[in-house]
Amino acid sequence: MNEERKIVVEEVDAVPPPPKARVESVVETFERKRDYLDGFLAQKPEPVAGGEPGGALYEAVIDALKEIYDPEIPVNIYDLGLIYGVEVAEGGHVAVTMTLTTPHCPVAESMPGEVELRVSSVPGVATADVDLVWDPPWDPQKMSDDAKLELGML
């Protein structure tokens, strides 16, 4: 079953160009439909409550947390990923859920107190509670890109 196969090559001098598309006459005219973004672009954003992400009090608390640095790593605790949650309730009560890089961290006793003190000093905060948790454990993937860049991990 050894059949011989041959490839046939045909040489040509030129290939006729394909026909061009032409519009002989436009019978219908179309009116531009109303722009669906008109009303959307004219809307003003709804104001964000102070305790919600993007609100003034919430952002002030985050800024205060960004001023606290880990003594062993030259990155603030927020970008380091040690802050798991910030909740701002009515009346200015703030609850911060955080962890440390390891349970054996030398600042395990003092860091939650410093966080509570700094958050309490934000104007508009009446009380601050800090909940130190170990689950889920901290790992370097929790760091922000800025922190990873600072530490040469990017």
Side-chain angles (χ1 to χ4, degrees):
M1 290 196 85
N2 234 349
E3 292 181 29
E4 192 172 314
R5 295 185 196 181
K6 290 187 178 182
I7 298 175
V8 179
V9 178
E10 180 183 351
E11 291 187 27
V12 293
D13 292 333
V15 177
K20 294 185 178 182
R22 302 207 183 274
V23 178
E24 297 299 323
S25 64
V26 176
V27 178
E28 295 180 45
T29 58
F30 292 98
E31 223 176 279
R32 181 168 185 230
K33 292 187 167 93
R34 184 184 145 142
D35 191 349
Y36 69 93
L37 288 178
D38 264 350
F40 177 76
L41 295 175
Q43 288 178 352
K44 301 286 183 212
E46 291 184 24
V48 177
E52 294 180 25
L57 184 56
Y58 181 90
E59 295 303 321
V61 169
I62 298 300
D63 289 343
L65 292 170
K66 287 183 176 182
E67 292 177 2
I68 305 170
Y69 282 79
D70 185 287
E72 297 176 325
I73 306 171
V75 176
N76 69 66
I77 63 170
Y78 188 82
D79 287 333
L80 200 54
L82 298 179
I83 304 299
Y84 285 174
V86 174
E87 294 178 23
V88 181
E90 288 185 37
H93 177 74
V94 178
V96 177
T97 304
M98 67 173 293
T99 192
L100 297 172
T101 53
T102 175
H104 306 293
C105 183
V107 293
E109 292 181 21
S110 63
M111 183 65 76
E114 183 177 355
V115 170
E116 184 177 337
L117 186 67
R118 292 279 185 104
V119 171
S120 296
S121 70
V122 172
V125 173
T127 59
D129 289 326
V130 176
D131 187 19
L132 185 62
V133 297
W134 302 109
D135 189 35
W138 178 86
D139 68 76
Q141 295 305 314
K142 295 187 184 319
M143 292 191 299
S144 70
D145 287 343
D146 290 340
K148 290 177 184 175
L149 186 63
E150 180 76 26
L151 297 174
M153 297 174 70
L154 274 183

